[in-house]
Amino acid sequence: MKRIAALLGTLLLISMITFLAFSVLPGDASVSKLGTNASPERVEKLRNEMGLNDPLPVRYINWLKNAVWLDFGRSFQYTDVTVRELIGRRFGVTLLLTGCSFLMIVLVSYPLGVFCGRRKKKHTASYWGTAAVNFITQITMSVPPFFLGILITYFFGITLGWFQPGGFIPPSDDLAACLWYLLFPAAAIALPKSAMIIRFLSEAVREEAAKDYVRTAYSKGCPENRVFYRHILKNAMIPTITFSALILIEVIAGSLVIEQVFSVPGIGRLLVTAISNRDFPVVQGVTLLLTGFVVIANTAVDLLYHKIDPRTRVNLKRPGAGGRKGESV
Amino acid sequence: MSRKIWFCLLIVLFVTSIVGLVWTPYPPEEMNLSLKNAAPCLSHPFGNDYFGRDILSRVMAGLSTSIQISAAVVAIGAVFGSIIGAVTGYLGGWLDEVFMRINDSILVFPSILLALIFVAVFGTGKFNIIIVLGVLFIPSFARVMRSDFVKQRSLDYVRNAKIMGAGTMSVLFRHMLPNMKSTLIPCLVIGFNNAMLAEAGMSFLGLGVQPPEASLGRMISESSGYLVLTPWAAVIPGLVMAFLIYAVSMVGKKNI
C-alpha cells in the first residue's frame, strides 16, 4: 500500500516536471494552429478560447485531467492527428521489438552466465570456452549499440542479403516477415545487454560458490551437480532476476536509438523526430509514457524481489548479519 | 604485459586527438566532389565520404571532439558528485536523506532517455550536450563517493585530523579525498567510457554535435545512409571509438 502511494506520488511529480519544462518554452498550440503570420489579436483570441492564458496551476490541472486518459492534445506537426493516435500506432512496434530483444537476452545470457560461472579445470575445452565468452562480452560492451546495428546492417543486410535495410514491414501486413526484420535490431540491442547479464550471473555464481553453506553441502556428501543447481544457482538467480528486470528498462532505452538505425517506426523514432521538429505535445506524451513505464517497472522490480527472496519476508535477523553497536544495518 | 600495450595504444589515440586539434592532413570540413566516395588509397588512407571529405582528417578532428566532450562530462560529474558525496556522506542527517532520495530517483531512469528530454527542452549543440550529460553523470559519482565518505569518516586518521584542528573543508578535501583514489579512478574510467557512448548516441540521433563539426557518432550517423557506397566512412569511426573504449577499460581495469 505504501509502495502504491509512493508510485502515485512519483508519477504526479513526473507529470508536473514534464508539464512545467515544456510550458516555459516559446511556441504553443495557438501559433501552430494559426501559423506564424497570424495577427496578434487573433492569436490572443484563440489563446483565450484554448485556455492558454489561464494561470499555470489551472492549465496544469486541465492538462493532467486529459493526460490521465492518455490524451495529450494534438501534434503541432501533424495537426489533424491526436498525440494518442500517433503514439498508439507506434507503440505496438516498439513493444514487439523490446519483447523480441528481451527474450533473446534471456535465452542467450542465462545459459552462458551459468556456464561461465562454474568452476573449471585449467586447459580443458570449457576453460577456453569461458575465456572466449569473456573476451567477446568485453568487446560487445565496448561497441556503441548503434554501431553494432550498423555492422549488423552491413553484414547481414547488404553483404548476405538476409533482410532489406530500411524495408520494415508493418506487423498488420505480414507478422512473420515483420518479426524476421525485427530480429536484427533486436539482436543489436540484445548483445551488449546479454554481455552485462553474463558478467553479472557468472560473478554471482562465483560469489555464492565461495560461501560456507556450499562447503557444508559438499561435506554432507551432496553431489557436485546437486550443489550447483539446487544450492548455488538458486541463490545466484535472486539478484540476477532483479538485474534482468532493470535491464528491461535499458532495453527500452536502447530501442530509442536502434529504431533510428534500422528505420523501425516505433516510439523512439517518434520521439527523436518530435524533438527535432519541436513538436512538444508529442514529446510530452512520449516522455510521460516512458518515464511512467520506468517508474512502474521499478516498483514491480521491488515487489518481485520480495516475492522471490524468501529471506526478505521473514522479520528475523539473519545470524551474523547484525552490525556493530550503534550502526544501523 | 598486455596492459602496457593497451596503455601505449591509448597514448597514441590521445596524441592523435591532440594533433587533430591543430593539424589534420586535409581540412576536416573541406568537401572535394572529385573525391566523392573515393575508396581508401595512399593519399587518403581511410578514404573519403559522400561529400568527398577526407575520413582520416575527420576521424582525427572527431576523436578530439569526442574526447573533449567526454572529459568535460566526466569532470563535471566527478567534481560535483564528489562535493555532494562528501557533504552528504560526512555530515549525514536530513541533507543526506534529501540528496540521496533525489539521486536515487534520477538514477532509476536510463540516461539516454533523460538526455533526450533535456535536449528537447534546452536545445542541441556541443555546449548543451556537455552540460546535459555532465549533470546526468553527477548522481552516480555522488552515490559512490558518499559510500566511501561514510566508510572512512570514522577512521582514525580523520579523527586525528579533527583533533589537530582541521576545518571541515580541510578534512573532507585535503585529508579524505586523496584516500579515495582507489574508488574514484575506476569510476572515472567507467564514466569516461559511458560519456563517450552517450555522446556518440546523442550525436548519432542528430541531437548532439551539430554538422559540419565532426564527432565520431555524428560521422557514423552521416555515413550510415551510404553503407553500400562507402562502408569505410561509417565503419572506421566506429572501430576507432570501440578501440578507444576497449583500451580505456583495459587500462583502467587493473588499476583497481
Side-chain angles (χ1 to χ4, degrees):
Chain A
M1 218 41 231
K2 205 175 143 199
R3 288 216 167 274
I4 307 283
L7 177 70
L8 287 178
T10 319
L11 286 176
L12 203 64
L13 193 68
I14 287 174
S15 76
M16 232 179 257
I17 294 170
T18 323
F19 178 78
L20 271 180
F22 290 99
S23 61
V24 294
L25 293 172
D28 60 35
S30 63
V31 178
S32 84
K33 232 179 192 168
L34 296 172
T36 39
N37 299 328
S39 66
E41 293 83 34
R42 279 187 62 199
V43 172
E44 201 50 39
K45 192 163 166 269
L46 189 71
R47 284 179 64 91
N48 271 329
E49 275 169 27
M50 294 171 77
L52 290 172
N53 283 342
D54 291 342
L56 207 61
V58 177
R59 265 161 48 203
Y60 170 67
I61 298 286
N62 285 335
W63 177 79
L64 190 66
K65 265 188 217 155
N66 293 328
V68 169
W69 305 107
L70 299 179
D71 178 7
F72 305 103
R74 279 167 190 284
S75 153
F76 286 177
Q77 197 190 2
Y78 317 97
T79 34
D80 51 335
V81 195
T82 61
V83 174
R84 178 161 56 172
E85 277 173 59
L86 273 177
I87 292 177
R89 262 184 239 160
R90 286 157 175 85
F91 188 65
V93 177
T94 300
L95 211 62
L96 212 56
L97 176 61
T98 45
C100 278
S101 186
F102 193 64
L103 197 68
M104 225 182 257
I105 290 174
V106 170
L107 289 180
V108 170
S109 63
Y110 282 10
L112 276 178
V114 170
F115 170 73
C116 288
R118 287 201 82 161
R119 203 172 41 159
K120 287 166 203 84
K121 286 194 187 99
K122 274 203 164 180
H123 307 297
T124 54
S126 55
Y127 175 79
W128 293 114
T130 307
V133 172
N134 280 339
F135 181 67
I136 293 169
T137 52
Q138 182 65 47
I139 285 189
T140 36
M141 286 200 288
S142 309
V143 177
F146 61 89
F147 181 59
L148 199 61
I150 285 176
L151 289 182
I152 288 176
T153 309
Y154 186 64
F155 188 67
F156 291 102
I158 294 171
T159 311
L160 293 178
W162 285 8
F163 73 103
Q164 202 199 336
F168 176 77
I169 302 144
S172 50
D173 288 7
D174 185 351
L175 188 64
C178 171
L179 282 176
W180 173 249
Y181 184 87
L182 284 181
L183 205 63
F184 298 95
I189 304 171
L191 274 172
K193 310 289 176 217
S194 311
M196 286 165 81
I197 296 189
I198 292 173
R199 284 270 162 114
F200 191 91
L201 179 55
S202 55
E203 197 50 47
V205 166
R206 250 173 261 138
E207 228 167 71
E208 289 296 326
K211 287 190 177 164
D212 285 345
Y213 72 86
V214 177
R215 198 175 41 194
T216 312
Y218 275 125
S219 53
K220 280 197 314 183
C222 196
E224 171 130 24
N225 269 335
R226 195 182 156 87
V227 173
F228 187 78
Y229 288 106
R230 295 292 291 269
H231 296 268
I232 297 176
L233 195 57
K234 251 183 158 178
N235 279 311
M237 279 318 277
I238 292 171
T240 310
I241 287 176
T242 345
F243 185 69
S244 318
L246 294 176
I247 286 285
L248 179 62
I249 296 172
E250 291 284 322
V251 167
I252 290 171
S255 77
L256 296 182
V257 181
I258 290 295
E259 280 175 11
Q260 210 71 13
V261 181
F262 288 87
S263 336
V264 175
I267 295 282
R269 247 178 112 75
L270 183 69
L271 180 61
V272 172
T273 355
I275 291 174
S276 310
N277 295 328
R278 311 191 74 70
D279 190 351
F280 296 130
V282 176
V283 179
Q284 260 178 342
V286 176
T287 304
L288 212 55
L289 201 71
L290 288 177
T291 45
F293 175 81
V294 170
V295 174
I296 291 172
N298 244 331
T299 312
V301 169
D302 274 355
L303 294 177
L304 187 73
Y305 191 73
H306 281 272
K307 196 94 194 153
I308 57 175
D309 191 350
R311 279 172 301 197
T312 57
R313 269 177 267 149
V314 188
N315 255 342
L316 292 170
K317 260 190 192 152
R318 270 181 293 140
R324 271 179 290 165
K325 242 182 206 167
E327 257 180 81
S328 57
V329 178
Chain B
M1 184 58 211
S2 72
R3 190 182 149 214
K4 268 183 193 157
I5 297 171
W6 285 110
F7 191 71
C8 293
L9 287 171
L10 202 58
I11 297 280
V12 170
L13 282 173
F14 273 97
V15 169
T16 317
S17 83
I18 291 168
V19 172
L21 275 179
V22 287
W23 178 84
T24 49
Y26 300 88
E29 279 140 36
E30 184 189 66
M31 302 189 190
N32 186 345
L33 286 182
S34 62
L35 285 167
K36 185 174 162 179
N37 299 340
C41 62
L42 270 182
S43 55
H44 298 273
F46 287 176
N48 295 67
D49 68 2
Y50 185 75
F51 300 102
R53 294 178 294 199
D54 180 46
I55 300 291
L56 176 62
S57 309
R58 283 183 74 70
V59 165
M60 285 171 76
L63 192 63
S64 68
T65 314
S66 297
I67 290 179
Q68 276 169 43
I69 294 178
S70 315
V73 165
V74 171
I76 293 176
V79 168
F80 287 97
S82 301
I83 293 174
I84 293 175
V87 172
T88 56
Y90 185 72
L91 300 178
W94 63 270
L95 198 70
D96 183 32
E97 188 73 17
V98 170
F99 264 106
M100 284 306 123
R101 269 296 151 76
I102 298 173
N103 238 355
D104 286 347
S105 38
I106 296 176
L107 278 176
V108 162
F109 296 100
S111 57
I112 187 93
L113 178 61
L114 288 184
L116 281 178
I117 297 165
F118 274 39
V119 165
V121 176
F122 297 113
T124 56
K126 186 172 160 184
F127 184 70
N128 279 356
I129 213 78
I130 290 176
I131 300 291
V132 165
L133 290 178
V135 170
L136 288 179
F137 271 59
I138 295 174
S140 51
F141 276 103
R143 169 174 253 199
V144 176
M145 293 309 283
R146 176 189 169 272
S147 68
D148 222 20
F149 273 98
V150 168
K151 225 184 279 167
Q152 296 205 11
R153 72 177 168 199
S154 49
L155 294 186
D156 284 342
Y157 81 91
V158 178
R159 260 184 228 151
N160 288 345
K162 268 195 274 186
I163 291 166
M164 304 266 286
T168 308
M169 282 297 135
S170 163
V171 170
L172 283 179
F173 298 108
R174 194 168 305 157
H175 294 269
M176 290 179 83
L177 197 61
N179 280 306
M180 288 168 188
K181 261 186 282 179
S182 60
T183 312
L184 195 55
I185 288 173
C187 283
L188 288 175
V189 169
I190 297 167
F192 181 83
N193 280 350
N194 284 342
M196 199 86 189
L197 287 172
E199 183 273 323
M202 296 299 284
S203 296
F204 178 79
L205 293 177
L207 302 171
V209 175
Q210 293 300 305
E213 201 176 347
S215 101
L216 294 176
R218 185 76 224 159
M219 290 176 70
I220 299 170
S221 152
E222 279 168 358
S223 318
S224 65
Y226 309 107
L227 268 184
V228 184
L229 287 170
T230 57
W232 50 84
V235 171
I236 289 173
L239 286 182
V240 169
M241 181 187 297
F243 201 62
L244 175 63
I245 292 172
Y246 191 78
V248 170
S249 62
M250 286 313 274
V251 170
K253 204 165 75 173
K254 299 272 174 59
N255 261 338
I256 298 170

